[in-house]
């Protein structure tokens, strides 16, 4: 791993909470007694989307069972499944008792884009993708369980998408040019850059209706721009839709309403 003077990263925004870089280990679980993790849900089942500046907070809800009752969590960590880079600890934790043997303990993870020198992969953008959760849980009778890979989720780069339809208004039967740009967060320089060679769907909603329909699929160019011509047959709104990838969030642009002359 080669260092550089500064590198984009995420830090846990938890006051004095220490940042710990993790290295992936083989899947295993160890402990003592009958305590077990029975279910884990990250961010309510949704992807975790990280941009370039806004702080992101997401919960990890862990269902734990033990005959003596659940004491709580002593450790939760998350990191990229492929390259092992990520962060340990949490900013808050609470447990809700469901029965005498079962509780749901939730660790609140808070992160924000930041600069961290000389200690991350050559391209921190490679940490986008599938992440996994490890946890250590404890019971009232002293039982404990160190569990690897209790859940997987996707950490994705945020994306932006614009739409512009012209001319406005347009004569019925005339050509209308619908353009736009798809960009996504770069965690190296904390800016948005054009997302190249990606398929985006051009969608149209006729005036007075509620739903968009896909008209065609267009690929972004070498700087992330979109442009296509359509025939204007009725007034309505045009927009672009990008379904997302394993590493980049889906995004829908605001609609651009075009009237007929």
């Amino acid at each position: 791993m080669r260092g550089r003077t500064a590198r984009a990263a995420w830090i846990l925004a938890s006051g004095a909470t220490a940042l710990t870089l993790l290295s992936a280990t083989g899947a295993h679980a160890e402990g003592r007694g009958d305590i077990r993790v029975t279910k884990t849900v990250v961010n309510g089942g949704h992807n975790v989307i990280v941009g370039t500046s806004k702080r992101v907070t997401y919960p990890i809800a862990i269902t734990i069972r033990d005959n003596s009752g659940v004491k709580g969590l002593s450790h939760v960590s998350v990191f990229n499944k492929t390259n092992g880079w990520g962060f340990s600890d949490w900013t808050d934790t609470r447990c809700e008792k469901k029965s005498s043997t079962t509780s749901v303990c939730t660790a609140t993870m808070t992160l924000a884009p930041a600069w961290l020198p000389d200690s991350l992969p050559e391209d921190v953008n490679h940490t986008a993708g599938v992440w996994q959760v490890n946890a250590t849980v404890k019971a009232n009778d002293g039982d404990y369980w160190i569990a690897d890979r209790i859940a997987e989720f996707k950490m994705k780069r945020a994306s932006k998408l614009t739409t512009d339809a012209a001319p406005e208004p347009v004569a019925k039967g005339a050509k209308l040019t619908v353009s736009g740009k798809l960009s996504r967060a770069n965690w190296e320089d904390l800016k948005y850059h054009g997302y190249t060679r990606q398929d985006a769907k051009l969608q149209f909603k006729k005036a007075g209706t509620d739903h968009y329909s896909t008209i065609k699929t267009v690929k972004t160019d070498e700087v992330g721009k979109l442009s296509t011509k359509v025939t204007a047959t009725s007034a309505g709104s045009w927009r672009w839709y990008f379904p997302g990838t394993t590493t980049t969030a889906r995004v829908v642009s605001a609609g651009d309403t075009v009237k007929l002359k």
Side-chain angles (χ1 to χ4, degrees):
M1 179 178 61
R2 296 190 297 273
R4 288 171 60 181
T5 56
R7 194 170 305 283
W10 301 308
I11 58 171
L12 291 174
S14 56
T17 301
L19 178 73
T20 305
L21 293 176
L22 302 175
S23 185
T25 58
H28 69 281
E30 59 183 73
R32 180 183 67 197
D34 60 352
I35 187 171
R36 292 294 185 274
V37 171
T38 61
K39 184 180 180 180
T40 304
V41 179
V42 180
N43 199 31
H46 303 291
N47 297 324
V48 176
I49 311 300
V50 182
T52 59
S53 60
K54 186 178 179 180
R55 182 172 295 180
V56 177
T57 299
Y58 64 97
I60 301 178
I62 303 172
T63 303
I64 309 165
R65 186 185 69 243
D66 185 85
N67 288 341
S68 69
V70 175
K71 185 175 182 179
L73 301 168
S74 64
H75 178 79
V76 178
S77 62
V78 295
F79 53 84
N80 182 280
K81 182 181 177 182
T82 301
N83 57 42
W85 292 94
F87 303 96
S88 174
D89 219 329
W90 57 80
T91 61
D92 183 40
T93 181
R94 58 182 174 82
C95 290
E96 181 180 354
K97 187 175 180 180
K98 297 296 185 179
S99 70
S100 61
T101 61
T102 304
S103 293
V104 177
C105 295
T106 301
T108 300
M109 315 298 286
T110 304
L111 52 88
W115 291 104
L116 187 71
D118 299 326
S119 50
L120 288 179
E122 185 63 23
D123 182 359
V124 72
N125 292 312
H126 289 164
T127 61
V130 180
W131 284 50
Q132 72 180 58
V133 180
N134 292 355
T136 301
V137 299
K138 292 187 175 182
N140 290 328
D141 61 2
D143 290 353
Y144 70 95
W145 196 252
I146 303 171
D148 283 2
R149 202 175 300 163
I150 58 174
E152 293 183 354
F153 65 100
K154 290 180 181 177
M155 184 86 73
K156 293 190 175 186
R157 297 161 66 177
S159 56
K160 294 181 178 181
L161 188 56
T162 62
T163 296
D164 181 47
E168 300 180 50
V170 64
K172 185 174 182 178
K175 290 296 183 180
L176 184 72
T177 299
V178 186
S179 57
K181 184 174 182 179
L182 175 64
S183 56
R184 62 172 173 170
N186 185 309
W187 295 335
E188 282 281 309
D189 61 8
L190 303 182
K191 297 179 181 179
Y192 280 82
H193 297 273
Y195 196 8
T196 66
R197 307 304 178 191
Q198 299 298 311
D199 287 336
K201 299 180 185 297
L202 177 64
Q203 299 182 329
F204 177 70
K205 181 178 70 172
K206 188 176 180 179
T209 64
D210 297 325
H211 302 290
Y212 281 90
S213 298
T214 297
I215 304 301
K216 62 171 71 174
T217 299
V218 178
K219 194 177 292 291
T220 59
D221 66 11
E222 64 276 3
V223 293
K225 289 184 178 181
L226 293 155
S227 184
T228 190
K229 292 184 180 297
V230 293
T231 301
T233 57
S234 59
S237 296
W238 295 88
R239 73 179 187 186
W240 292 103
Y241 165 69
F242 172 62
T245 65
T246 301
T247 61
T248 305
R250 65 180 290 275
V251 62
V252 182
S253 74
D256 188 8
T257 300
V258 178
K259 297 180 180 179
L260 296 183
K261 291 181 180 179

